[in-house]
């Protein structure tokens, strides 16, 4: 087992792993990797906590002991206890403990619709997906995703359970109506035929893909999940897939993620982003010490626990965060931040997004170009002046009806 050297200011860390399966391969490997680096590892069952809330004093009890002095928490929250498990993680966050994945990000990733909605504005390829409630609009939604054959998915399924391939539009309608009658939320998705029975799982740790595999389904099964009998082989990721995986994890706010992607004729399509990806398949297929990479990352990032930026900024009355597009003819175009003197107007530019790149804390010499998006924080009255008038009007107009959804690609 390779032993990483600790950063100079680091000490023996006390790391808690939240998991209901202490004996599973993933947990055993994380404990082993932590101990090999000199840390004290504690596996804690999420359901054994009591969450105690009072002003200025968030507390956690584990069985009958108050939890103190944990330096870091690695949440491995199973889908069956998302609600309580994320509440425990949130409590650790309130106590200022570094949590590898935030409660918010875990909850977001649990819902397949919410996940791809979050990803849809961030240059990540996605299979066309529709979500409807009323049966009247069902046929139009099926058309929108390209008609049959199509995929129907439970919003919160895992391990391939809750994913159905419908060969005909009428069957799809019947399945959706049946599931709706049982109060199940489902989404409709284009079936990526050319990727039938296989997908790519990229394991992302701290903004990098540390290992990747291709999973191949057994026989004529269309789902490639290992739990459905799929086998895994290592894969050299194409840069396009690597970028998509990293970006998907970042947009979801997950520092550790398993990103599942389909290989379509149009390129990479992200299907889902898992917040507690298993280690057995990926370490077995690739030979990479993924557990070790996770612990190394915890050591490196321990000083950056979750900060709820939105909440903090909202406390400052009269100020807001705004994403401002630089459009043709905008007074912002082709001018440097210095010339625009935004700081004098009580506005700070946090990032500039240009094509696929993000420039953080840009300097005054940066020149804005048409197509850029600038993320600003500042005085709301001043921010309003940055928005093109047409855009302001547009935001009031009606949303197009679901029967005629507009295609963004
Ligand atoms: P789960 O959370 O149950 O793993 P996924 O959305 O990852 O659900 O789907 C499970 C499997 O089904 C995928 O690994 C893939 O093999 C197959 N699959 C899912 N969606 C599609 C799709 N749109 N086109 C083709 N195959 C799909
Ligand atoms: Mg999956």
């Amino acid at each position: 087992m390779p032993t990483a050297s600790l950063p100079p200011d680091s000490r023996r860390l006390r790391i808690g792993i939240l998991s209901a399966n202490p004996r599973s391969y993933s947990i055993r490997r994380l404990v082993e990797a932590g101990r090999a680096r000199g840390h004290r590892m504690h596996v804690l069952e999420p359901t054994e906590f009591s969450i105690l809330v009072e002003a200025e004093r968030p507390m956690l009890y584990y069985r009958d002991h108050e939890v103190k002095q944990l330096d870091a928490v690695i949440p491995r929250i199973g889908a069956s206890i998302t609600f309580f498990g994320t509440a425990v993680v949130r409590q650790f966050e309130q106590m200022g403990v570094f949590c590898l994945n935030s409660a918010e990000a875990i909850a977001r990733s649990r819902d397949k619709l919410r996940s791809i909605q979050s990803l849809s504005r961030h240059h990540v390829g996605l299979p066309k997906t529709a979500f409807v409630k009323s049966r009247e609009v069902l046929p139009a939604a099926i058309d929108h995703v390209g008609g049959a054959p199509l995929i129907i998915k439970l919003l919160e399924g895992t391990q391939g359970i809750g994913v159905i391939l419908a060969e005909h539009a009428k069957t799809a309608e019947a399945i959706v109506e049946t599931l709706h009658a049982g109060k199940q939320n489902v989404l409709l998705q284009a079936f990526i035929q050319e990727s039938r029975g296989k997908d790519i799982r990229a394991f992302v740790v701290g903004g990098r893909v540390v290992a990747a595999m291709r999973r191949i389904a057994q026989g004529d099964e269309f789902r490639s999940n290992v739990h459905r009998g799929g086998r895994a082989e290592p894969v050299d990721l194409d840069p396009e897939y690597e970028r998509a995986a990293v970006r998907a994890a970042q947009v979801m706010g997950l520092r550790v993620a398993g990103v599942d992607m389909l290989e379509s004729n149009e390129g990479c399509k992200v299907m889902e982003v898992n917040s507690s990806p298993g280690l057995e398949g990926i370490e077995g297929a690739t030979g990479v010490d993924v557990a070790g990479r996770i612990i190394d990352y915890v050591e490196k990032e321990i000083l950056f626990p979750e900060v709820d930026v939105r909440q903090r900024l909202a406390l400052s009355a009269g100020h807001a965060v705004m994403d401002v597009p630089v459009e043709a003819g905008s007074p912002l175009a082709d001018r440097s931040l210095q010339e625009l003197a935004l700081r004098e107007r009580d506005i700070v530019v946090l990032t500039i997004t240009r094509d696929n790149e993000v420039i953080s804390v840009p300097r005054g010499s940066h020149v804005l170009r048409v197509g850029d998006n600038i993320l600003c924080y500042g005085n709301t009255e001043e921010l309003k002046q940055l928005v093109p008038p047409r855009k302001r009007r547009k935001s009031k107009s009606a949303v197009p009806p679901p029967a005629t959804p507009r295609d963004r690609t």
Side-chain angles (χ1 to χ4, degrees):
M1 180 58 51
T3 309
S5 57
L6 294 176
D9 60 341
S10 159
R11 50 209 160 97
R12 272 184 91 191
L13 300 174
R14 288 185 60 151
I15 302 177
I17 302 175
L18 303 185
S19 169
N21 297 310
R23 279 175 294 280
S24 68
Y25 175 93
S26 301
I27 304 307
R28 282 190 284 118
R29 286 285 299 123
L30 287 166
V31 168
E32 193 176 275
R35 292 204 176 127
R37 287 161 177 74
H39 304 307
R40 277 169 290 181
M41 306 299 290
H42 306 272
V43 182
L44 307 165
E45 294 205 31
T47 50
E48 298 291 312
F49 283 92
S50 309
I51 297 168
L52 304 173
V53 183
E54 65 182 86
E56 313 305 329
R57 204 164 117 75
M59 267 184 296
L60 272 171
Y61 270 73
Y62 186 67
R63 300 190 174 134
D64 49 8
H65 297 293
E66 187 175 348
V67 179
K68 286 181 180 159
Q69 299 168 332
L70 273 188
D71 298 300
V73 164
I74 301 178
R76 303 279 311 180
I77 306 296
S80 59
I81 54 156
T82 301
F83 193 84
F84 193 79
T86 52
V88 172
V89 176
R90 200 177 308 117
Q91 189 77 349
F92 273 116
E93 287 166 9
Q94 298 308 314
M95 291 159 63
V97 178
F98 172 86
C99 297
L100 187 53
N101 277 338
S102 72
E104 182 65 26
I106 297 168
R108 190 184 300 124
S109 73
R110 277 297 139 80
D111 174 333
K112 293 189 204 310
L113 177 67
R114 195 168 163 194
S115 303
I116 64 167
Q117 282 180 307
S118 310
L119 295 174
S120 67
R121 278 185 57 179
H122 296 277
H123 304 280
V124 175
L126 301 170
K128 269 194 191 179
T129 302
F131 183 62
V132 296
K133 194 148 186 73
S134 136
R135 68 193 286 177
E136 279 70 47
V137 294
L138 196 50
I142 291 174
D143 280 350
H144 174 70
V145 303
L150 74 151
I151 294 277
I152 299 166
K153 269 185 209 185
L154 294 183
L155 257 42
E156 303 201 0
T158 57
Q159 307 181 346
I161 299 165
V163 182
I164 304 164
L165 174 59
E167 297 285 353
H168 306 285
K170 284 288 165 211
T171 327
E173 283 180 36
I175 295 170
V176 172
E177 283 175 19
T178 308
L179 291 166
H180 277 172
K183 303 270 179 268
Q184 294 280 2
N185 278 319
V186 291
L187 51 80
L188 308 168
Q189 194 164 75
F191 175 51
I192 309 298
Q193 188 102 40
E194 58 274 24
S195 182
R196 184 191 176 104
K198 58 190 174 75
D199 72 354
I200 302 267
R201 157 65 62 92
F203 205 109
V204 180
V205 179
R208 308 175 99 114
V209 173
V210 299
M213 61 180 170
R214 180 177 284 116
R215 295 179 300 193
I216 301 155
Q218 220 176 32
D220 63 357
E221 171 63 63
F222 73 96
R223 298 163 299 176
S224 44
N225 301 69
V226 176
H227 287 93
R228 304 268 72 76
R231 65 182 167 82
E233 57 183 40
V235 63
D236 253 338
L237 264 200
D238 184 285
E240 179 201 342
Y241 285 71
E242 188 157 345
R243 265 198 307 276
V246 167
R247 185 165 277 253
Q250 284 172 332
V251 171
M252 298 293 292
L254 291 168
R255 304 198 247 209
V256 166
V259 183
D260 293 350
M261 297 169 280
L262 294 165
E263 296 166 280
S264 86
N265 291 338
E266 297 160 15
C268 159
K269 305 258 187 213
V270 172
M271 239 181 333
E272 66 163 345
V273 187
N274 295 281
S275 57
S276 297
L279 299 186
E280 189 164 12
I282 195 91
E283 288 195 340
T286 64
V288 175
D289 173 15
V290 176
R293 305 294 283 271
I294 292 175
I295 304 293
D296 291 345
Y297 179 75
V298 170
E299 288 171 3
K300 203 160 67 74
E301 293 297 305
I302 194 91
L303 293 178
F304 298 97
E306 183 74 6
V307 175
D308 190 336
V309 177
R310 187 188 47 82
Q311 200 180 64
R312 300 279 171 94
L313 295 182
L315 291 175
S316 166
H319 287 69
V321 178
M322 189 184 254
D323 199 20
V324 182
V326 180
E327 297 183 341
S330 156
L332 301 171
D334 304 316
R335 315 226 357 230
S336 73
L337 292 178
Q338 197 155 22
E339 280 172 74
L340 291 166
L342 295 175
R343 190 66 198 81
E344 313 317 306
R345 292 164 62 185
D346 241 354
I347 294 172
V348 181
V349 177
L350 304 173
T351 63
I352 302 175
T353 307
R354 177 168 296 166
D355 304 322
N356 262 331
E357 304 300 321
V358 176
I359 304 155
S360 297
V361 208
R363 293 178 183 270
S365 56
H366 256 102
V367 177
L368 298 180
R369 288 198 218 134
V370 172
D372 287 354
N373 261 291
I374 56 174
L375 184 70
C376 303
Y377 175 66
N379 180 299
T380 47
E381 291 310 314
E382 292 289 346
L383 284 172
K384 280 183 197 166
Q385 306 307 315
L386 299 184
V387 184
R390 186 176 52 76
K391 175 112 184 163
R392 272 186 258 168
R393 269 204 316 277
K394 204 168 89 186
S395 65
K396 284 198 205 112
S397 74
V399 177
T404 54
R406 277 199 311 179
D407 197 346
R408 278 174 47 100
T409 54

